[in-house]
Amino acid sequence: MANPVFNNSPVFADPRQQRRGGRPAPSAPTFGGPTVDAASLEAMYDGPTATTRDTGRLTYDDVIIKTGGLLALLVAVAAVTWFVAPGLYIVGAIVGLVLGLVNAFKRKPSPALIVAYTVAEGVFLGGISYVFQNRPIGNLVADAQPIVLQAVLATVATFVASLWLYRSGRVRVTAKSTRFLLIAMIGYALFSLVNVVLMWVLPSTEMFGPLRSGPIGIIVGLFAVGLAAFSLIVDFDAIKRGVEQGAPKSFAWTAAFGLIVTLVWLYLEFLRLFAIFSSSD
């Protein structure tokens, strides 16, 4: 599993990976307590069947509601930041990074910290989107093309397409594919680090660094979009596992947080990609 949010949560973990790592597979539940008489048993059998909601277990509806709420908050904060204080995106980036790491490695979800992370990311995305949309190109300003709108629409379309591919069974998550995703993401992270170092060392007028501009930047951007899209599919598989394994309802916050992390990454890659396209026009 590539997303650290799901990878560090035992309720979303793949049992096959747990056994390979030396941890025991989940055991069958045991029951204990006082003996129930015949009358009580008959009343229980005659009553309605308990659902996952009745037993306090995770459901897809819980994940959808939490994810939708966090997305609405993210968009609202980003819009306010765009119009009021876009320069705060650096603060949002730092706070979001810290809170993202804290939430990713917490064993139990903290709704307050997840909401705080969403607010910080909203500040970051609102400000960085403003900077990208209004960046200078020569003597002009790059507001002729609505790259922010393009990035939003592309992110939504990719999310829907990834969900459809997963639900239809056309793309399956296997141990081999998740290992490939992990290796590819590590390689991409190292590549990005090298690009940042080169931006500091080599004088350049390129906004995204020497390795993320021009034709090379387009190829790398498309590769990164593909990684983020497949990461979404892996996230869907982890959520499905959590529901089927009877994860506690509170872990809907973890699932929503994991999806927000991947969607933010996907949006940023699209934003950079469309910015490169508009710069080459």
Side-chain angles (χ1 to χ4, degrees):
M1 195 184 307
N3 192 327
V5 178
F6 295 107
N7 195 38
N8 290 290
S9 179
V11 302
F12 294 106
D14 189 339
R16 295 171 300 179
Q17 295 179 354
Q18 289 183 337
R19 287 194 289 271
R20 283 196 296 270
R23 290 176 290 179
S27 58
T30 58
F31 301 92
T35 303
V36 182
D37 57 31
S40 299
L41 282 175
E42 184 176 356
M44 293 170 60
Y45 284 125
D46 290 339
T49 303
T51 64
T52 53
R53 183 175 299 278
D54 297 327
T55 57
R57 298 302 180 183
L58 179 67
T59 67
Y60 292 115
D61 287 343
D62 296 330
V63 177
I64 292 171
I65 292 172
K66 296 295 189 299
T67 304
L70 291 179
L71 279 175
L73 177 62
L74 181 74
V75 172
V77 174
V80 172
T81 304
W82 174 292
F83 291 106
V84 177
L88 290 177
Y89 75 92
I90 297 178
V91 176
I94 296 173
V95 175
L97 176 61
V98 173
L99 290 176
L101 291 173
V102 171
N103 281 305
F105 290 98
K106 281 184 68 66
R107 305 293 287 182
K108 294 183 178 180
S110 170
L113 289 178
I114 291 174
V115 170
Y117 164 82
T118 303
V119 172
E121 285 299 295
V123 172
F124 168 62
L125 291 184
I128 198 67
S129 298
Y130 180 90
V131 171
F132 270 60
Q133 185 65 67
N134 297 279
R135 75 197 186 287
I137 299 180
N139 296 323
L140 303 175
V141 176
D143 58 358
Q145 295 189 19
I147 62 172
V148 171
L149 178 60
Q150 292 171 346
V152 170
L153 294 177
T155 301
V156 173
T158 303
F159 177 85
V160 173
S162 299
L163 181 59
W164 177 77
L165 288 171
Y166 176 72
R167 290 294 301 273
S168 65
R170 286 171 170 78
V171 176
R172 298 183 180 277
V173 178
T174 64
K176 184 176 181 180
S177 63
T178 53
R179 284 197 299 270
F180 167 78
L181 177 63
L182 178 61
I183 294 171
M185 289 178 65
I186 292 174
Y188 174 70
L190 293 175
F191 177 87
S192 299
L193 180 61
V194 171
N195 185 55
V196 171
V197 172
L198 291 178
M199 289 177 65
W200 290 342
V201 175
L202 302 177
S204 175
T205 59
E206 300 290 351
M207 180 179 180
F208 309 117
L211 301 180
R212 293 303 305 267
S213 302
I216 296 179
I218 293 175
I219 295 173
V220 174
L222 292 173
F223 176 74
V225 165
L227 286 182
F230 189 70
S231 182
L232 270 177
I233 294 176
V234 175
D235 292 349
F236 297 148
D237 190 65
I239 293 171
K240 178 175 179 288
R241 237 182 347 261
V243 171
E244 292 178 347
Q245 293 175 175
K249 183 178 179 179
S250 61
F251 280 87
W253 285 102
T254 301
F257 169 62
L259 288 175
I260 293 294
V261 169
T262 306
L263 286 172
V264 167
W265 174 31
L266 180 63
Y267 169 77
L268 289 174
E269 294 298 343
F270 271 126
L271 186 64
R272 179 157 33 197
L273 194 58
F274 286 123
I276 295 173
F277 282 136
S278 65
S279 300
S280 60
D281 291 343

